[in-house]
Amino acid sequence: ETGVTQTPRHLVMGMTNKKSLKCEQHLGHNAMYWYKQSAKKPLELMFVYNFKEQTENNSVPSRFSPECPNSSHLFLHLHTLQPEDSALYLCASSQESGTPYEQYFGPGTRLTVT
Amino acid sequence: GQNIDQPTEMTATEGAIVQINCTYQTSGFNGLFWYQQHAGEAPTFLSYNVLDGLEEKGRFSSFLSRSKGYSYLLLKELQMKDSASYLCAPVDSNYQLIWGAGTKLIIKP
């Protein structure tokens, strides 16, 4: 239990569906991150929010849309995904971004796009 | 470009010692993290090195040589529960973690 929760843990969706992933951190952190983890590949940073402001968008396709209503909650809205988007989506938080604080990860959402 | 190189897989025996190496090239450097990730679980923090040398934390130690772009994670008295992937992640000039693909460590009885 790292203090970062993610729901759902597993999600199967069709290419025309719209779904959202949710992340919540109970650590009082100010930075939150979305990562994509595909088998045998490095973690890919998707988005970074620092004090609710988006500070990084690493060339992520527009079918992924993040939302950060406050420092404790982070969403990833999904629409018209492709099969290659199937992966483990990890949320993380840290004290702040722009500093080498350790990141605490949630358990991830295993996404399968059919 | 930025590059992280670590072995894909290693095998070791319970009770033994294993060293997992990581070489890196990054745009700037602000320290290096090691994380452990059990299959199907989230990565968890193991260590952070910013100065050259060895840092010891129980059965785990981490070493850094900034001039050589090299780090290693040393695991002593291996236990079956140490079977996991170990992720090397240097921090670049923008304070972004640059993740390696990880080393899958298999512990045999």
Side-chain angles (χ1 to χ4, degrees):
Chain A
E1 183 63 45
T2 62
V4 182
T5 58
Q6 289 186 244
T7 54
R9 295 293 308 275
H10 299 272
L11 178 63
V12 179
M13 59 187 288
M15 289 190 284
T16 58
N17 291 158
K18 286 185 180 181
K19 296 286 184 184
S20 295
L21 310 185
K22 179 183 176 183
C23 176
E24 184 174 358
Q25 58 95 1
H26 310 273
L27 301 168
H29 289 163
N30 296 303
M32 296 188 77
Y33 310 77
W34 278 118
Y35 285 94
K36 175 184 179 182
Q37 188 174 37
S38 303
K40 301 190 178 181
K41 288 188 175 180
L43 282 168
E44 297 174 47
L45 179 65
M46 300 175 73
F47 302 104
V48 181
Y49 279 82
N50 197 40
F51 293 93
K52 300 189 299 177
E53 298 296 319
Q54 185 175 304
T55 58
E56 291 288 337
N57 175 344
N58 279 3
S59 304
V60 180
S62 59
R63 58 186 183 269
F64 295 91
S65 174
E67 178 189 359
C68 188
N70 55 61
S71 292
S72 299
H73 294 86
L74 186 65
F75 295 89
L76 188 63
H77 304 299
L78 316 171
H79 64 98
T80 59
L81 294 191
Q82 305 298 311
E84 60 264 29
D85 297 323
S86 298
L88 181 67
Y89 288 84
L90 290 163
C91 172
S93 72
S94 69
Q95 193 69 28
E96 288 180 35
S97 69
T99 54
Y101 286 111
E102 67 182 270
Q103 294 180 16
Y104 293 77
F105 286 83
T109 295
R110 174 69 62 186
L111 173 67
T112 302
V113 181
T114 61
Chain B
Q2 311 210 86
N3 186 57
I4 314 302
D5 192 27
Q6 50 180 133
T8 304
E9 188 173 297
M10 298 180 72
T11 302
T13 305
E14 192 176 14
I17 299 173
V18 71
Q19 177 175 311
I20 302 174
N21 296 323
C22 172
T23 56
Y24 61 88
Q25 290 177 307
T26 54
S27 303
F29 182 76
N30 283 294
L32 185 143
F33 285 93
W34 282 97
Y35 277 77
Q36 179 190 60
Q37 186 177 23
H38 286 99
E41 298 183 13
T44 55
F45 169 80
L46 287 178
S47 66
Y48 172 68
N49 294 63
V50 66
L51 299 176
D52 288 352
L54 186 69
E55 299 232 354
E56 298 185 66
K57 196 186 291 186
R59 294 189 300 113
F60 291 14
S61 303
S62 55
F63 172 84
L64 176 67
S65 169
R66 289 172 297 173
S67 62
K68 294 181 179 177
Y70 168 68
S71 175
Y72 68 73
L73 183 69
L74 190 71
L75 292 75
K76 301 176 185 176
E77 301 168 19
L78 286 170
Q79 302 175 11
M80 297 303 292
K81 67 179 182 179
D82 298 329
S83 292
S85 288
Y86 291 86
L87 311 179
C88 170
V91 184
D92 71 8
S93 58
N94 293 322
Y95 291 96
Q96 279 200 23
L97 275 67
I98 310 302
W99 295 88
T103 298
K104 182 178 180 181
L105 178 63
I106 299 167
I107 309 297
K108 295 187 174 178

mmCIF file of all heavy atoms in Angstrom, chain A residues 78-107:
data_model
loop_
_atom_site.group_PDB
_atom_site.id
_atom_site.type_symbol
_atom_site.label_atom_id
_atom_site.label_comp_id
_atom_site.label_asym_id
_atom_site.label_seq_id
_atom_site.Cartn_x
_atom_site.Cartn_y
_atom_site.Cartn_z
ATOM 1 N N LEU A 78 -10.190 8.241 -21.912
ATOM 2 C CA LEU A 78 -9.803 7.446 -23.076
ATOM 3 C C LEU A 78 -10.933 7.425 -24.093
ATOM 4 O O LEU A 78 -12.098 7.219 -23.726
ATOM 5 C CB LEU A 78 -9.507 6.000 -22.640
ATOM 6 C CG LEU A 78 -8.664 5.817 -21.373
ATOM 7 C CD1 LEU A 78 -8.656 4.348 -20.965
ATOM 8 C CD2 LEU A 78 -7.265 6.343 -21.583
ATOM 9 N N HIS A 79 -10.604 7.628 -25.353
ATOM 10 C CA HIS A 79 -11.635 7.500 -26.393
ATOM 11 C C HIS A 79 -11.008 7.109 -27.714
ATOM 12 O O HIS A 79 -9.912 7.545 -28.048
ATOM 13 C CB HIS A 79 -12.448 8.791 -26.526
ATOM 14 C CG HIS A 79 -11.637 9.966 -26.983
ATOM 15 N ND1 HIS A 79 -11.593 10.401 -28.297
ATOM 16 C CD2 HIS A 79 -10.842 10.817 -26.298
ATOM 17 C CE1 HIS A 79 -10.813 11.456 -28.375
ATOM 18 N NE2 HIS A 79 -10.343 11.736 -27.195
ATOM 19 N N THR A 80 -11.734 6.291 -28.453
ATOM 20 C CA THR A 80 -11.309 5.746 -29.754
ATOM 21 C C THR A 80 -9.873 5.231 -29.703
ATOM 22 O O THR A 80 -9.007 5.627 -30.502
ATOM 23 C CB THR A 80 -11.473 6.772 -30.898
ATOM 24 O OG1 THR A 80 -10.702 7.940 -30.602
ATOM 25 C CG2 THR A 80 -12.921 7.125 -31.076
ATOM 26 N N LEU A 81 -9.621 4.353 -28.722
ATOM 27 C CA LEU A 81 -8.269 3.799 -28.585
ATOM 28 C C LEU A 81 -7.997 2.745 -29.657
ATOM 29 O O LEU A 81 -8.914 2.239 -30.312
ATOM 30 C CB LEU A 81 -8.097 3.186 -27.204
ATOM 31 C CG LEU A 81 -8.125 4.158 -26.018
ATOM 32 C CD1 LEU A 81 -7.677 3.435 -24.757
ATOM 33 C CD2 LEU A 81 -7.255 5.371 -26.256
ATOM 34 N N GLN A 82 -6.714 2.417 -29.791
ATOM 35 C CA GLN A 82 -6.242 1.419 -30.738
ATOM 36 C C GLN A 82 -5.741 0.192 -29.970
ATOM 37 O O GLN A 82 -5.347 0.299 -28.808
ATOM 38 C CB GLN A 82 -5.097 2.000 -31.581
ATOM 39 C CG GLN A 82 -5.458 3.293 -32.305
ATOM 40 C CD GLN A 82 -6.579 3.082 -33.294
ATOM 41 O OE1 GLN A 82 -6.537 2.152 -34.097
ATOM 42 N NE2 GLN A 82 -7.604 3.923 -33.230
ATOM 43 N N PRO A 83 -5.704 -0.967 -30.595
ATOM 44 C CA PRO A 83 -5.211 -2.169 -29.891
ATOM 45 C C PRO A 83 -3.808 -1.984 -29.323
ATOM 46 O O PRO A 83 -3.503 -2.540 -28.255
ATOM 47 C CB PRO A 83 -5.248 -3.244 -30.986
ATOM 48 C CG PRO A 83 -6.352 -2.812 -31.887
ATOM 49 C CD PRO A 83 -6.268 -1.300 -31.909
ATOM 50 N N GLU A 84 -2.962 -1.192 -29.989
ATOM 51 C CA GLU A 84 -1.594 -0.991 -29.480
ATOM 52 C C GLU A 84 -1.555 -0.146 -28.204
ATOM 53 O O GLU A 84 -0.497 0.008 -27.584
ATOM 54 C CB GLU A 84 -0.694 -0.349 -30.545
ATOM 55 C CG GLU A 84 -1.164 1.004 -31.029
ATOM 56 C CD GLU A 84 -1.975 0.916 -32.316
ATOM 57 O OE1 GLU A 84 -2.632 -0.121 -32.542
ATOM 58 O OE2 GLU A 84 -1.930 1.899 -33.081
ATOM 59 N N ASP A 85 -2.700 0.387 -27.809
ATOM 60 C CA ASP A 85 -2.775 1.128 -26.545
ATOM 61 C C ASP A 85 -2.961 0.192 -25.357
ATOM 62 O O ASP A 85 -2.931 0.638 -24.195
ATOM 63 C CB ASP A 85 -3.936 2.133 -26.573
ATOM 64 C CG ASP A 85 -3.740 3.204 -27.641
ATOM 65 O OD1 ASP A 85 -2.581 3.635 -27.842
ATOM 66 O OD2 ASP A 85 -4.733 3.598 -28.278
ATOM 67 N N SER A 86 -3.153 -1.080 -25.624
ATOM 68 C CA SER A 86 -3.260 -2.064 -24.542
ATOM 69 C C SER A 86 -1.943 -2.088 -23.775
ATOM 70 O O SER A 86 -0.872 -2.272 -24.366
ATOM 71 C CB SER A 86 -3.551 -3.455 -25.107
ATOM 72 O OG SER A 86 -4.794 -3.468 -25.791
ATOM 73 N N ALA A 87 -2.030 -1.889 -22.460
ATOM 74 C CA ALA A 87 -0.819 -1.797 -21.623
ATOM 75 C C ALA A 87 -1.244 -1.644 -20.171
ATOM 76 O O ALA A 87 -2.428 -1.603 -19.851
ATOM 77 C CB ALA A 87 0.028 -0.587 -22.033
ATOM 78 N N LEU A 88 -0.254 -1.546 -19.299
ATOM 79 C CA LEU A 88 -0.492 -1.206 -17.899
ATOM 80 C C LEU A 88 -0.311 0.302 -17.745
ATOM 81 O O LEU A 88 0.721 0.845 -18.140
ATOM 82 C CB LEU A 88 0.503 -1.950 -16.999
ATOM 83 C CG LEU A 88 0.374 -1.718 -15.494
ATOM 84 C CD1 LEU A 88 -0.931 -2.312 -14.968
ATOM 85 C CD2 LEU A 88 1.565 -2.313 -14.754
ATOM 86 N N TYR A 89 -1.312 0.978 -17.231
ATOM 87 C CA TYR A 89 -1.242 2.426 -17.027
ATOM 88 C C TYR A 89 -1.037 2.688 -15.540
ATOM 89 O O TYR A 89 -1.866 2.324 -14.707
ATOM 90 C CB TYR A 89 -2.487 3.119 -17.574
ATOM 91 C CG TYR A 89 -2.477 3.100 -19.089
ATOM 92 C CD1 TYR A 89 -2.940 1.992 -19.794
ATOM 93 C CD2 TYR A 89 -1.923 4.154 -19.807
ATOM 94 C CE1 TYR A 89 -2.872 1.937 -21.176
ATOM 95 C CE2 TYR A 89 -1.849 4.112 -21.194
ATOM 96 C CZ TYR A 89 -2.323 2.992 -21.867
ATOM 97 O OH TYR A 89 -2.233 2.943 -23.239
ATOM 98 N N LEU A 90 0.079 3.328 -15.256
ATOM 99 C CA LEU A 90 0.482 3.584 -13.875
ATOM 100 C C LEU A 90 0.362 5.066 -13.553
ATOM 101 O O LEU A 90 0.783 5.915 -14.338
ATOM 102 C CB LEU A 90 1.924 3.139 -13.658
ATOM 103 C CG LEU A 90 2.187 1.633 -13.665
ATOM 104 C CD1 LEU A 90 3.666 1.362 -13.859
ATOM 105 C CD2 LEU A 90 1.698 0.994 -12.383
ATOM 106 N N CYS A 91 -0.162 5.327 -12.387
ATOM 107 C CA CYS A 91 -0.202 6.677 -11.849
ATOM 108 C C CYS A 91 0.867 6.769 -10.753
ATOM 109 O O CYS A 91 1.124 5.775 -10.056
ATOM 110 C CB CYS A 91 -1.586 6.948 -11.275
ATOM 111 S SG CYS A 91 -1.757 8.496 -10.366
ATOM 112 N N ALA A 92 1.488 7.904 -10.633
ATOM 113 C CA ALA A 92 2.478 8.108 -9.574
ATOM 114 C C ALA A 92 2.334 9.515 -9.021
ATOM 115 O O ALA A 92 1.752 10.399 -9.668
ATOM 116 C CB ALA A 92 3.900 7.889 -10.095
ATOM 117 N N SER A 93 2.857 9.722 -7.821
ATOM 118 C CA SER A 93 2.879 11.061 -7.244
ATOM 119 C C SER A 93 4.221 11.295 -6.572
ATOM 120 O O SER A 93 4.938 10.345 -6.226
ATOM 121 C CB SER A 93 1.738 11.256 -6.241
ATOM 122 O OG SER A 93 1.970 10.527 -5.046
ATOM 123 N N SER A 94 4.575 12.557 -6.415
ATOM 124 C CA SER A 94 5.791 12.924 -5.691
ATOM 125 C C SER A 94 5.571 14.283 -5.038
ATOM 126 O O SER A 94 4.596 14.981 -5.342
ATOM 127 C CB SER A 94 7.014 12.968 -6.611
ATOM 128 O OG SER A 94 6.922 14.044 -7.517
ATOM 129 N N GLN A 95 6.503 14.662 -4.185
ATOM 130 C CA GLN A 95 6.377 15.919 -3.462
ATOM 131 C C GLN A 95 6.137 17.078 -4.435
ATOM 132 O O GLN A 95 5.212 17.862 -4.285
ATOM 133 C CB GLN A 95 7.653 16.160 -2.644
ATOM 134 C CG GLN A 95 7.550 17.248 -1.613
ATOM 135 C CD GLN A 95 6.632 16.852 -0.466
ATOM 136 O OE1 GLN A 95 6.479 15.669 -0.147
ATOM 137 N NE2 GLN A 95 6.002 17.831 0.143
ATOM 138 N N GLU A 96 6.988 17.166 -5.439
ATOM 139 C CA GLU A 96 6.848 18.152 -6.509
ATOM 140 C C GLU A 96 7.512 17.593 -7.750
ATOM 141 O O GLU A 96 8.339 16.686 -7.646
ATOM 142 C CB GLU A 96 7.601 19.455 -6.165
ATOM 143 C CG GLU A 96 6.987 20.306 -5.092
ATOM 144 C CD GLU A 96 7.818 21.558 -4.830
ATOM 145 O OE1 GLU A 96 8.402 22.099 -5.786
ATOM 146 O OE2 GLU A 96 7.868 22.007 -3.668
ATOM 147 N N SER A 97 7.187 18.118 -8.901
ATOM 148 C CA SER A 97 7.968 17.775 -10.086
ATOM 149 C C SER A 97 9.091 18.817 -10.197
ATOM 150 O O SER A 97 9.102 19.802 -9.468
ATOM 151 C CB SER A 97 7.097 17.789 -11.338
ATOM 152 O OG SER A 97 6.699 19.096 -11.646
ATOM 153 N N GLY A 98 10.018 18.580 -11.081
ATOM 154 C CA GLY A 98 11.131 19.508 -11.231
ATOM 155 C C GLY A 98 12.168 19.362 -10.147
ATOM 156 O O GLY A 98 13.029 20.220 -9.974
ATOM 157 N N THR A 99 12.079 18.299 -9.401
ATOM 158 C CA THR A 99 13.057 17.991 -8.352
ATOM 159 C C THR A 99 13.172 16.473 -8.292
ATOM 160 O O THR A 99 12.230 15.776 -8.655
ATOM 161 C CB THR A 99 12.606 18.499 -6.976
ATOM 162 O OG1 THR A 99 11.299 17.966 -6.710
ATOM 163 C CG2 THR A 99 12.554 20.007 -6.914
ATOM 164 N N PRO A 100 14.300 15.938 -7.839
ATOM 165 C CA PRO A 100 14.434 14.471 -7.833
ATOM 166 C C PRO A 100 13.823 13.799 -6.604
ATOM 167 O O PRO A 100 14.460 12.989 -5.960
ATOM 168 C CB PRO A 100 15.949 14.274 -7.886
ATOM 169 C CG PRO A 100 16.496 15.473 -7.199
ATOM 170 C CD PRO A 100 15.566 16.609 -7.530
ATOM 171 N N TYR A 101 12.585 14.125 -6.284
ATOM 172 C CA TYR A 101 11.911 13.396 -5.214
ATOM 173 C C TYR A 101 11.476 12.031 -5.736
ATOM 174 O O TYR A 101 11.120 11.876 -6.897
ATOM 175 C CB TYR A 101 10.665 14.152 -4.751
ATOM 176 C CG TYR A 101 10.956 15.376 -3.913
ATOM 177 C CD1 TYR A 101 10.700 16.654 -4.406
ATOM 178 C CD2 TYR A 101 11.455 15.267 -2.620
ATOM 179 C CE1 TYR A 101 10.945 17.780 -3.638
ATOM 180 C CE2 TYR A 101 11.702 16.397 -1.851
ATOM 181 C CZ TYR A 101 11.448 17.643 -2.374
ATOM 182 O OH TYR A 101 11.691 18.758 -1.615
ATOM 183 N N GLU A 102 11.470 11.034 -4.844
ATOM 184 C CA GLU A 102 11.029 9.717 -5.280
ATOM 185 C C GLU A 102 9.560 9.754 -5.627
ATOM 186 O O GLU A 102 8.774 10.533 -5.060
ATOM 187 C CB GLU A 102 11.301 8.673 -4.198
ATOM 188 C CG GLU A 102 10.469 8.847 -2.955
ATOM 189 C CD GLU A 102 10.804 7.820 -1.886
ATOM 190 O OE1 GLU A 102 10.164 6.758 -1.898
ATOM 191 O OE2 GLU A 102 11.671 8.114 -1.054
ATOM 192 N N GLN A 103 9.188 8.918 -6.566
ATOM 193 C CA GLN A 103 7.797 8.820 -6.992
ATOM 194 C C GLN A 103 7.177 7.565 -6.381
ATOM 195 O O GLN A 103 7.810 6.519 -6.291
ATOM 196 C CB GLN A 103 7.714 8.748 -8.517
ATOM 197 C CG GLN A 103 8.194 10.042 -9.177
ATOM 198 C CD GLN A 103 8.119 10.002 -10.681
ATOM 199 O OE1 GLN A 103 7.456 9.156 -11.273
ATOM 200 N NE2 GLN A 103 8.801 10.940 -11.331
ATOM 201 N N TYR A 104 5.935 7.729 -5.949
ATOM 202 C CA TYR A 104 5.172 6.628 -5.377
ATOM 203 C C TYR A 104 4.126 6.215 -6.406
ATOM 204 O O TYR A 104 3.359 7.058 -6.883
ATOM 205 C CB TYR A 104 4.478 7.066 -4.079
ATOM 206 C CG TYR A 104 5.429 7.373 -2.955
ATOM 207 C CD1 TYR A 104 6.145 8.569 -2.915
ATOM 208 C CD2 TYR A 104 5.622 6.467 -1.920
ATOM 209 C CE1 TYR A 104 7.024 8.851 -1.884
ATOM 210 C CE2 TYR A 104 6.494 6.744 -0.871
ATOM 211 C CZ TYR A 104 7.189 7.934 -0.867
ATOM 212 O OH TYR A 104 8.057 8.200 0.158
ATOM 213 N N PHE A 105 4.109 4.927 -6.707
ATOM 214 C CA PHE A 105 3.234 4.432 -7.767
ATOM 215 C C PHE A 105 1.983 3.760 -7.222
ATOM 216 O O PHE A 105 2.015 3.106 -6.170
ATOM 217 C CB PHE A 105 3.992 3.409 -8.625
ATOM 218 C CG PHE A 105 5.004 4.027 -9.540
ATOM 219 C CD1 PHE A 105 6.273 4.351 -9.082
ATOM 220 C CD2 PHE A 105 4.692 4.289 -10.859
ATOM 221 C CE1 PHE A 105 7.213 4.928 -9.923
ATOM 222 C CE2 PHE A 105 5.631 4.855 -11.721
ATOM 223 C CZ PHE A 105 6.890 5.172 -11.247
ATOM 224 N N GLY A 106 0.916 3.907 -7.983
ATOM 225 C CA GLY A 106 -0.282 3.120 -7.730
ATOM 226 C C GLY A 106 -0.131 1.745 -8.343
ATOM 227 O O GLY A 106 0.845 1.477 -9.063
ATOM 228 N N PRO A 107 -1.112 0.859 -8.103
ATOM 229 C CA PRO A 107 -1.014 -0.517 -8.589
ATOM 230 C C PRO A 107 -1.236 -0.666 -10.086
ATOM 231 O O PRO A 107 -0.939 -1.715 -10.653
ATOM 232 C CB PRO A 107 -2.110 -1.246 -7.809
ATOM 233 C CG PRO A 107 -3.106 -0.183 -7.503
ATOM 234 C CD PRO A 107 -2.314 1.075 -7.290
#
